[in-house]
Amino acid sequence: MDAEFTNTTTSSPSTAFVPGETEFEEFVTSEAIDAFIAIFLILGVFIVIPNVLVALFYFGKEQILHLMYLILAISDTVAGVGALFHVITLVCMGIGEMTVVSEYLIPIAFFFTSLTNHLSVFFNTILVVIRTINILWPVQVISRSGVYLAVGVYSVLWAVISTFEIISLYHLNENRFPIYIQFYLFIITPNSGSEILFAIVGKDLISSLEWLNALVCIGIPYGLPALITLVCAVVQVASLSKFRVKGRAAARNRKITVTILLLTFTFMICNSAHFSVLLVFNILRPGVNINHWYLLYVCGTFMPLLNSCINPIILVIRGQSLQRYFLSVFGRVFPFRRMLTTAGSTRNSISVYQNSQHATSGMHITKRCGDAMVKFE
């Protein structure tokens, strides 16, 4: 196995630093895999259902902000599907179906995770940039076609890169990677770009330019959007503290800004942990043990999924129309919602009756007859 490991790692820059088979066997047989199965199953369900409802609510709405909420919800829904594929992958590993895991599940889980990680970063960045433009230049109109074009091009770009990564590592190498290398590259650290960079630049050059690999695969897709988002967030916070205009429109704009700031801060916390840990491991190259596997798995997969789970919660809490939509949907699905509504209406009726009885016991009774008021002593 060591000889096989040596042969395969020399053919690709993305395999220049991977742990050995011992860590993989320890991971598969540990109790942590059961915890990851439960966590990803819960996350998958609580990502897919709320985000599907958010997407249905904003579908067809005209405002550019609603369009971005729709796109973000669709991306998060796909991320939830990826979480469920992680569950299937880990379950099959636990029961020893390694051939199915290697041939089918690992590539599928990697494609969903890598694609949605990159798209989530991009969509959150577009959202905060659009809001910042609206604050700085209120008369500037954002083109919906431009948003569609940017989203489409970026989505296709990373879909192609992720597909090339799978084809390259599975079919273009002379030796098939052992499953522990596949699992580390595609599941523990699900990043794209190394293989296509290797094909463009060349083996000899990229081996001496580790910083270029880190820049292309981590810095540009993760670090640069985080920096742009941080600058835009500072501008939005400054606008909240500077302008105190009263009125319904001003209050609505302020509420929108706060909502986007909450989405932005959640995104920055979750994804900064992701790319920061990956950057540290890529540059410092510490000796990897099983605890590092857990750390990389949490930061590389769990944290972006957590972001996809929190996004719809923020939108529901901040939007009254969306709240009513969720309540109407769950009210039709779950009977207890109607029971609670009926009980609440009954309590309100009793309270109104008691208040009216208390009012009639006073010294003065006021009765409205048409437009006239007659007062009885």
Side-chain angles (χ1 to χ4, degrees), residues 146-371:
V147 173
Y148 283 128
L149 179 62
V151 169
V153 169
Y154 200 80
S155 300
V156 171
L157 173 65
W158 281 107
V160 170
I161 292 176
S162 299
T163 302
F164 182 84
E165 199 89 0
I166 295 171
I167 294 175
S168 177
L169 291 176
Y170 269 76
H171 301 290
L172 299 184
N173 281 293
E174 297 179 359
N175 300 313
R176 172 65 67 88
F177 290 112
I179 190 171
Y180 68 91
I181 297 182
Q182 297 176 28
F183 187 79
Y184 182 82
L185 294 178
F186 289 110
I187 303 298
I188 298 298
T189 57
N191 293 296
S192 300
S194 295
E195 289 301 316
I196 197 168
L197 181 66
F198 170 71
I200 294 174
V201 177
K203 174 182 176 181
D204 297 332
L205 183 59
I206 195 62
S207 300
S208 60
L209 296 176
E210 288 292 337
W211 63 269
L212 181 60
N213 187 37
L215 176 65
V216 172
C217 301
I218 301 175
I220 294 178
Y222 295 110
L224 182 60
L227 180 61
I228 295 174
T229 302
L230 178 61
V231 173
C232 292
V234 171
V235 173
Q236 293 185 30
V237 171
S239 70
L240 288 175
S241 60
K242 182 178 180 180
F243 298 105
R244 301 286 183 180
V245 182
K246 296 182 179 180
R248 179 174 297 181
R252 181 178 179 274
N253 287 330
R254 184 179 181 86
K255 185 176 182 179
I256 291 173
T257 302
V258 172
T259 301
I260 295 179
L261 280 174
L262 291 174
L263 293 172
T264 301
F265 290 143
T266 303
F267 154 73
M268 291 180 63
I269 293 172
C270 294
N271 286 276
S272 294
H274 177 202
F275 82 82
S276 297
V277 171
L278 292 177
L279 190 62
V280 168
F281 272 74
N282 191 80
I283 293 177
L284 298 182
R285 305 281 176 136
V288 174
N289 55 39
I290 189 63
N291 293 325
H292 293 150
W293 274 55
Y294 298 148
L295 176 63
L296 288 169
Y297 202 16
V298 168
C299 293
T301 303
F302 171 76
M303 292 300 288
L305 289 175
L306 182 63
N307 186 17
S308 298
C309 185
I310 295 176
N311 284 341
I313 297 176
I314 294 174
L315 292 177
V316 170
I317 292 176
R318 299 290 301 172
Q320 293 181 354
S321 298
L322 191 57
Q323 289 177 19
R324 290 192 293 269
Y325 177 74
F326 266 68
L327 290 176
S328 66
V329 171
F330 287 111
R332 292 193 296 267
V333 175
F334 300 105
F336 72 85
R337 175 64 196 171
R338 291 192 293 270
M339 294 171 58
L340 291 177
T341 304
T342 303
S345 300
T346 303
R347 286 194 300 269
N348 291 336
S349 299
I350 294 174
S351 177
V352 170
Y353 175 76
Q354 291 175 345
N355 291 335
S356 63
Q357 289 295 102
H358 177 72
T360 57
S361 64
M363 295 179 62
H364 300 283
I365 301 177
T366 303
K367 181 179 180 181
R368 180 183 298 271
C369 298
D371 295 328

Side-chain angles (χ1 to χ4, degrees), residues 42-169:
I42 295 173
L43 275 178
V45 173
F46 280 91
I47 289 173
V48 171
I49 295 177
N51 278 291
V52 166
L53 294 178
V54 171
L56 291 175
F57 177 78
Y58 286 114
F59 181 78
K61 295 187 180 297
E62 296 296 330
Q63 294 186 17
I64 192 71
L65 183 64
H66 294 161
L67 173 63
M68 289 310 306
Y69 288 161
L70 170 64
I71 293 174
L72 186 61
I74 293 175
S75 174
D76 289 339
T77 302
V78 177
V81 175
L84 297 178
F85 270 103
H86 275 267
V87 172
I88 298 173
T89 302
L90 295 176
V91 169
C92 290
M93 285 174 53
I95 62 178
E97 294 290 339
M98 295 302 179
T99 302
V100 176
V101 171
S102 175
E103 294 289 340
Y104 303 105
L105 296 179
I106 286 180
I108 294 174
F110 165 77
F111 181 83
F112 275 105
T113 305
S114 176
L115 181 63
T116 54
N117 282 356
H118 289 91
L119 294 186
S120 177
V121 171
F122 184 68
F123 296 158
N124 276 280
T125 304
I126 289 183
L127 179 63
V128 70
V129 168
I130 288 177
R131 186 56 190 165
T132 304
I133 292 175
N134 290 337
I135 291 174
L136 296 179
W137 300 282
V139 297
Q140 181 70 35
V141 178
I142 306 297
S143 171
R144 292 175 66 92
S145 59
V147 173
Y148 283 128
L149 179 62
V151 169
V153 169
Y154 200 80
S155 300
V156 171
L157 173 65
W158 281 107
V160 170
I161 292 176
S162 299
T163 302
F164 182 84
E165 199 89 0
I166 295 171
I167 294 175
S168 177
L169 291 176

